Amino acid sequence: EAQVTQNPRYLITVTGKKLTVTCSQNMNHEYMSWYRQDPGLGLRQIYYSMNVEVTDKGDVPEGYKVSRKEKRNFPLILESPSPNQTSLYFCASSLYPWGRRIMNTEAFFGQGTRLTVV
Amino acid sequence: QQQVKQSPQSLIVQKGGISIINCAYENTAFDYFPWYQQFPGKGPALLIAIRPDVSEKKEGRFTISFNKSAKQFSLHIMDSQPGDSATYFCAASGVIQGAQKLVFGQGTRLTINP
């Protein structure tokens, strides 16, 4: 089954304690991205990756890091989490970057990780 | 310039009625406009999408209407059903300042009353 898998689904942590949220896709997609979802703000892009070893900032990258050492994995790292990073996080992947003039640019999303930083 | 504004924030419709959600964008570099549907506890999933060279796209009960000159697009759900109750996000995609972008609206929580 084609899917994007995030772990953990729920996480409560304390301010300053480093954490990693994992994301893995089994569709051989090149393009992966992280979003955070907050009430009234929709989904905002944190970081994205066009391919292995190629990453770039999205709209709200402060306080986050990513890496893309393998095509299937795209972990999100919070080196020193703060309460304003409490949010619902989604990893997404697609075969091609969004916006290219071809039909198949659907983004597949994981189930989400609800993070609480106290 | 990169914003996509979505309204209303929440919407209640009776079963069998028409649900309408509106979105507006500013940047004319956007050239792909998808709608995503999200059920509680799940990630968003692509519902329907349109490119600006057509004014309307219909898939079953779901229709996107697109007005390029006004930079607006909307989702119409005909014969709305309780199973359509979900959060809906419009989005706009394109190459902005050399980078691939997919920008989402704020979301609309739709409730269909039986």
Side-chain angles (χ1 to χ4, degrees), chain A residues 10 19 42-43 47 55 57 63 76 87 98 107 109:
Chain A
Y10 302 92
L19 66 91
L43 291 141
Y47 268 93
T55 64
K57 296 177 181 178
L76 179 69
S87 186
W98 295 297
F109 284 81

Side-chain angles (χ1 to χ4, degrees), chain B residues 67-86:
Chain B
N67 186 330
K68 189 174 182 178
S69 60
K71 292 188 281 188
Q72 294 175 347
F73 58 110
S74 59
L75 176 69
H76 295 236
I77 306 174
M78 312 299 288
D79 187 26
S80 299
Q81 299 296 311
D84 297 331
S85 297

Side-chain angles (χ1 to χ4, degrees), chain A residues 43-92:
Chain A
L43 291 141
R44 294 179 292 167
Q45 191 180 51
I46 302 170
Y47 268 93
Y48 66 95
S49 169
M50 301 280 279
N51 211 329
V52 175
E53 302 293 0
V54 181
T55 64
D56 208 347
K57 296 177 181 178
D59 298 314
V60 287
E62 295 77 20
Y64 304 95
K65 283 176 56 178
V66 292
S67 69
R68 188 92 180 271
K69 292 184 170 53
E70 304 167 282
K71 198 171 187 179
R72 62 183 290 127
N73 296 323
F74 190 46
L76 179 69
I77 303 156
L78 284 72
E79 294 269 2
S80 182
S82 62
N84 65 11
Q85 293 178 298
T86 293
S87 186
L88 179 60
Y89 291 86
F90 287 100
C91 178

Side-chain angles (χ1 to χ4, degrees), chain A residues 23 25 30-33 48-49 68 71-72 74 92-93:
Chain A
C23 174
Q25 51 94 2
E30 289 188 350
Y31 193 81
M32 298 185 74
S33 183
Y48 66 95
S49 169
R68 188 92 180 271
K71 198 171 187 179
R72 62 183 290 127
F74 190 46
S93 75

Side-chain angles (χ1 to χ4, degrees), chain A residues 33-37 40-46 59 90 92 98 105-109, chain B residues 2-6 23-25 30 32-38 43-46 73 87-93 101-107:
Chain A
S33 183
W34 277 102
Y35 284 84
R36 60 178 288 173
Q37 181 178 353
L41 297 176
L43 291 141
R44 294 179 292 167
Q45 191 180 51
I46 302 170
D59 298 314
F90 287 100
W98 295 297
T105 55
E106 177 179 356
F108 293 84
F109 284 81
Chain B
Q2 291 187 33
Q3 277 190 329
V4 176
K5 294 182 179 178
Q6 182 173 347
C23 286
Y25 64 99
F30 290 133
Y32 175 67
F33 301 89
W35 284 86
Y36 281 80
Q37 180 187 54
Q38 183 183 31
L46 180 66
F73 58 110
T87 298
Y88 292 82
F89 292 97
C90 63
S93 177
K101 291 287 187 183
L102 179 65
V103 181
F104 285 87
Q106 293 80 8

